[in-house]
Amino acid sequence: MSAGPDSAVYGRPPPELADPPEGAVQLSPLIPGSEALEAIAPGTLSDLAVLAPPGTVERRFTLALALRALAADGALTVLAPKEKGGSRLARELAGFGCAVEETAKRHHRVCRTRRPARPDGLDAALAEGAPRRLDDLGLWSQPGVFSWNRIDPGTALLLENLPALAGRGADLGCGIGVLAKAVLAAPKVTALALVDIDRRAVEAARRNVEDPRASFAWADLREAGAVPERLDFVVMNPPFHDGGAEDRALGQGFVRRAAASLRPGGTLWLTANAHLPYEAVLDESFRQVTPRASERGYKVFEAKK
């Protein structure tokens, strides 16, 4: 089945549960290169399949964007694992004025509906989930971004132990730019590449890090060419969840990418939850690994290539 430009998909729903037409436009902020659902002209999509995010505010924001983008009576399929928001989908869609058909399969709830002529409550959901400036942090952020409204404790511990760096570096998984701002406070830093797989985080970081030495990339750093080479330093607080499930190999991949991106003698500064087993991959990727802090459930390493 072929799709016109009026068919779209948000995320990667299991094909046995929702099978978007071939050529459906991808709209997920977590898949680099995708179109932005926020930018879709209202009333232009004929059908849309959404793998709904787990966070309540982010999910309602996404549903409101989806309903805004659909033409009247456009087809909407929304699904999520039952324990990650799926059990709330039918009620949330009904709150927007949708008549919902719900099924359960493979631990997911799948809701099918049509866009009503006048959905209820879209403006409130869009306002609640939109980018905003957090006055207590003095930073721009958005619900759905990692640690969107606070400084993550692991990042805080790294900030407490991070020395003034120098040369060319990268912040891998940069989030909204908290680490980057601290790194760029050092006058001997000549360039800093901020890389994140979340488009919303990169957009926030652009607003938060106003420094000509900074560059920004919406990219999956597991892909070739996503990170500059022969760097002097890398800083990171690597993720360990993929699609909501713990994936320790994800953070280990970050460590290997950092090692591949550094010049001989370059340095990695890493923070992580204390239970994550990064020591082995650090030892195999770097010639010298030094624990620098371990408290409050987190640990910090300095590793030299």
Side-chain angles (χ1 to χ4, degrees):
M1 178 178 179
S2 296
D6 55 353
S7 296
V9 58
Y10 185 99
R12 294 191 175 100
E16 66 274 18
L17 301 182
D19 190 14
E22 181 182 350
V25 176
Q26 178 59 249
L27 301 175
S28 172
L30 302 179
I31 301 176
S34 299
E35 300 294 328
L37 178 54
E38 298 92 323
I40 298 295
T44 57
L45 295 180
S46 64
D47 57 273
L48 174 57
V50 175
L51 179 61
T56 300
V57 174
E58 179 190 6
R59 185 174 60 252
R60 283 177 48 78
F61 178 73
T62 303
L63 295 179
L65 286 172
L67 289 167
R68 186 180 72 176
L70 283 164
D73 203 42
L76 176 62
T77 301
V78 187
L79 64 154
K82 178 181 176 182
E83 72 280 5
K84 294 176 182 174
S87 61
R88 302 186 183 95
L89 283 177
R91 183 169 65 252
E92 289 170 343
L93 286 166
F96 289 121
C98 298
V100 182
E101 296 180 3
E102 182 182 23
T103 58
K105 187 176 181 181
R106 296 194 57 162
H107 307 292
H108 284 66
R109 295 290 174 84
V110 183
C111 294
R112 291 180 171 84
T113 187
R114 296 271 176 178
R115 183 194 188 274
R118 291 183 175 84
D120 298 324
L122 294 192
D123 289 346
L126 292 172
E128 188 179 14
R132 69 194 67 178
R133 189 178 187 278
L134 303 172
D135 291 337
D136 56 338
L137 296 179
L139 299 171
W140 283 88
S141 190
Q142 184 175 2
V145 173
F146 169 71
S147 193
W148 78 274
N149 61 354
R150 66 188 181 103
I151 295 179
D152 172 73
T155 296
L157 185 62
L158 179 53
L159 289 172
E160 293 169 13
N161 291 274
L162 192 66
L165 299 171
R168 297 171 57 249
D171 180 355
L172 303 187
C174 65
I176 64 172
V178 173
L179 270 176
K181 286 177 72 69
V183 169
L184 289 166
K188 291 185 179 181
V189 171
T190 58
L192 183 67
L194 285 72
V195 184
D196 204 288
I197 200 170
D198 190 330
R199 170 180 54 79
R200 301 161 302 179
V202 175
E203 290 173 352
R206 286 182 186 276
R207 303 178 81 166
N208 295 327
V209 183
E210 297 181 299
D211 190 301
R213 296 170 293 170
S215 62
F216 304 86
W218 176 30
D220 184 342
L221 60 80
R222 293 169 292 188
E223 300 295 331
V227 184
E229 297 181 350
R230 297 195 63 79
L231 296 172
D232 298 299
F233 67 87
V234 170
V235 297
M236 64 182 185
N237 180 0
F240 62 97
H241 288 92
D242 189 3
E246 183 169 317
D247 181 1
R248 298 181 177 188
L250 186 59
Q252 293 167 352
F254 267 61
V255 172
R256 294 187 178 97
R257 175 61 70 192
S261 302
L262 287 164
R263 62 167 176 77
T267 303
L268 167 66
W269 281 89
L270 172 146
T271 183
N273 292 66
H275 75 280
L276 294 173
Y278 290 158
E279 286 80 356
V281 68
L282 283 167
D283 287 339
E284 73 183 30
S285 303
F286 292 87
R287 63 177 175 80
Q288 180 181 344
V289 179
T290 306
R292 291 301 185 190
S294 180
E295 56 183 287
R296 306 193 297 271
Y298 293 86
K299 54 191 175 184
V300 170
F301 292 96
E302 178 188 14
K304 291 188 178 297
K305 185 174 177 181

